[in-house]
Amino acid sequence: MYEFHSDAGHAWLAVPIHHLEELNIVNKISTFSYMKDGIAYLEEDCDAPKFLSAYESTYGESAEFSEVVEWETSPIRNFETYHWSNIIQERAGLI
C-alpha cells in the first residue's frame, strides 16, 4: 500500500523508486516530483497518474493507497527534486 501525502496546497504519492524501475517509468517522472531515502514523492497532477496507469496496466488492478493529511506545509516540499539521472548515477556508484 502506498501513501498519498497532502498539505493545504498540493499532494504527492509516495512510491519506492525501485517500483518505478520495475514499471519501467523511472525516466518518465518530472522534476515537479521529489525524492528522499529511496522514495519518490510523485506530484499529484502529472506523475502520480503516470504511476497509477503503469501499475494498473502491469498488474491488472488499481494500486491501493492511504491518505496522510498534513495541515502545515509538508516537509516533502524541501526534499531533493526528482532527477532520474541522479538515480542512475547513484545505482552505478558515481554519486
Side-chain angles (χ1 to χ4, degrees):
M1 180 173 296
Y2 301 96
E3 291 184 340
F4 192 75
H5 296 259
S6 64
D7 65 15
H10 215 63
W12 306 266
L13 182 63
V15 176
I17 291 171
H18 70 89
H19 289 192
L20 302 177
E21 292 171 317
E22 289 169 8
L23 293 172
N24 215 15
I25 60 170
V26 70
N27 64 334
K28 296 185 176 19
I29 304 303
S30 75
T31 56
F32 294 111
S33 292
Y34 297 95
M35 60 186 185
K36 182 177 180 181
D37 298 332
I39 304 293
Y41 295 86
L42 305 179
E43 182 272 333
E44 68 179 323
D45 296 320
C46 180
D47 296 328
K50 272 184 212 167
F51 168 77
L52 294 171
S53 177
Y55 186 99
E56 189 167 344
S57 292
T58 301
Y59 300 113
E61 61 187 26
S62 297
E64 294 182 20
F65 56 88
S66 61
E67 292 191 56
V68 178
V69 177
E70 300 174 33
W71 300 109
E72 301 294 323
T73 300
S74 174
I76 293 170
R77 295 174 181 274
N78 296 316
F79 293 170
E80 179 183 355
T81 300
Y82 184 94
H83 289 285
W84 72 273
S85 60
N86 288 1
I87 296 165
I88 302 304
Q89 291 177 15
E90 183 178 299
R91 295 280 193 268
L94 300 174
I95 57 172

